[in-house]
Amino acid sequence: MRFAKSGDGDFIQRIIHHKFHGFVHSTFNRTINIQCLDRGDLYTIACKGIDNAPNTLIIDLEHFEEADIRVNDIVSSGHSVLSIANKMSITMNGVKRWNCKLPKYPSEADVLIMNVSTMKQYIKLHGNNSRIERAFKSSNPFDDEMSRMLHERTQLLVSELQNKRISTAITHATSLIGLGPGLTPAGDDFLVGFFTVLNIENNRYFLYKSFCEEVVLQAKTLTNDISYMALAKAAVGQVRESISDLMEALFRGSEEELLLALDRVLAVGSTSGTDIALGIVAGLEMNK
């Protein structure tokens, strides 16, 4: 029997109070994804050391290598235990519930302005070769063209939203979905960061947060299931714990607190964290 350490409150609620039925969608060294039969949504079981996130349960395990869990294994719940075929049982006894709550936009922007400037410089020095940055150049013409498209489309998205041309902003945002390399493409990751800012209460563009859901309506067939789920959650202000912590540090933290939080986001994936961070910067700079 494995123990759940922490997890998304709604996911835990479904396991404890409702029957959860699904199957293993995909497996990785430190995470497995489960597709729920009732809603079709993806849920994630993650090893300790990974941060809390929407639809995610963190368990007391280092990796899944020896569990022999395979795609299409049946997943079900009963008596506060989540079972994966006859290979793993996870009890909810003692689990700590987590729910994403984004901080409010600060009434005074002095700290935020200083922290955004610090964040931009830090990303230039320590970011992971984002294709979105104009400075990215490689010996591969395909990568260079991809970088140009990502940079151009993110700029057009910001410009159109600033000018309140919502229809064309949706078009440019949709053109980013699925664009770029990686399990979660760079364009999707940028939008996760961008959507996060639009869902911050009291920011200038909070009234346009429904824009995010309009974009996600177009996303289902444009990207993979895992990335789609991250976009759908971010569109309603549900993001992983490291991102919400970074927002709090940006709004009210010291430089040391900011860089600690930023390092945790930059460590996500190979380039995903950097692309998410760039989306956050783009969203915040619209508020100038």
Side-chain angles (χ1 to χ4, degrees):
M1 180 75 73
R2 310 305 313 191
F3 285 85
K5 295 171 66 68
S6 64
D8 177 278
D10 291 339
F11 188 12
I12 294 168
Q13 188 82 357
R14 286 177 64 81
I15 294 169
I16 292 177
H17 296 292
H18 306 280
K19 290 291 184 182
F20 184 97
H21 297 288
F23 60 92
V24 175
H25 171 276
S26 48
T27 66
F28 301 91
N29 185 30
R30 302 197 68 216
T31 59
I32 61 171
N33 294 305
I34 298 164
Q35 188 148 27
C36 175
L37 289 175
D38 295 336
R39 301 179 180 179
D41 288 355
L42 283 189
Y43 291 80
T44 299
I45 310 297
C47 292
K48 57 186 178 183
I50 295 176
D51 60 328
N52 287 304
N55 285 14
T56 297
L57 194 66
I58 310 296
I59 67 172
D60 64 335
L61 191 66
E62 295 287 347
H63 54 74
F64 287 101
E65 284 181 353
E66 297 176 1
D68 193 31
I69 293 171
R70 300 185 180 184
V71 171
N72 292 326
D73 279 350
I74 299 299
V75 180
S76 60
S77 69
H79 306 290
S80 298
V81 173
L82 186 71
S83 300
I84 305 172
N86 58 352
K87 300 172 181 176
M88 183 176 291
S89 297
I90 305 166
T91 176
M92 299 301 115
N93 289 339
V95 65
K96 183 177 179 181
R97 297 176 191 235
W98 171 85
N99 289 293
C100 177
K101 186 175 182 181
L102 292 172
K104 291 184 179 179
Y105 199 83
S107 54
E108 299 292 335
D110 294 352
V111 172
L112 174 59
I113 291 170
M114 182 174 62
N115 281 342
V116 169
S117 176
T118 301
M119 180 170 166
K120 289 171 66 177
Q121 292 301 316
Y122 196 82
I123 292 171
K124 283 183 179 176
L125 292 172
H126 303 285
N128 295 319
N129 290 330
S130 169
R131 266 63 173 175
I132 293 171
E133 292 180 295
R134 184 189 293 275
F136 182 84
K137 290 290 181 185
S138 74
S139 57
N140 186 327
F142 178 82
D143 282 348
D144 291 348
E145 176 61 11
M146 180 76 72
S147 178
R148 186 196 65 76
M149 293 167 65
L150 283 163
H151 179 77
E152 182 177 282
R153 293 177 185 186
T154 54
Q155 297 296 304
L156 287 169
L157 163 61
V158 169
S159 172
E160 293 301 282
L161 203 53
Q162 283 179 311
N163 287 292
K164 301 181 175 51
R165 293 191 282 263
I166 306 304
S167 177
T168 47
I170 290 173
T171 299
H172 293 307
T174 303
S175 75
L176 286 166
I177 296 171
L179 185 62
L183 179 62
T184 54
D188 296 16
D189 291 327
F190 177 89
L191 289 174
V192 166
F194 196 72
F195 288 173
T196 301
V197 177
L198 293 187
N199 276 278
I200 297 287
E201 195 174 337
N202 294 341
N203 98 83
R204 187 184 299 174
Y205 292 87
F206 185 66
L207 289 174
Y208 297 100
K209 67 173 186 173
S210 61
F211 156 86
C212 309
E213 293 177 78
E214 292 287 327
V215 174
V216 167
L217 286 176
Q218 316 294 323
K220 186 69 174 176
T221 59
L222 299 176
T223 191
N224 64 69
D225 294 340
I226 296 170
S227 197
Y228 170 77
M229 205 66 231
L231 282 169
K233 287 295 181 179
V236 293
Q238 295 290 305
V239 293
R240 57 194 308 158
E241 188 174 24
S242 56
I243 297 176
S244 60
D245 287 349
L246 174 59
M247 300 311 300
E248 176 63 30
L250 276 160
F251 293 161
R252 299 171 184 85
S254 65
E255 180 174 316
E256 181 182 6
E257 289 168 334
L258 169 68
L259 297 184
L260 282 172
L262 180 54
D263 273 336
R264 289 180 65 205
V265 171
L266 294 181
V268 175
S270 56
T271 61
S272 288
T274 300
D275 295 325
I276 291 169
L278 290 171
I280 291 172
V281 168
L284 290 173
E285 290 197 318
M286 288 200 310
N287 281 270
K288 282 182 177 177

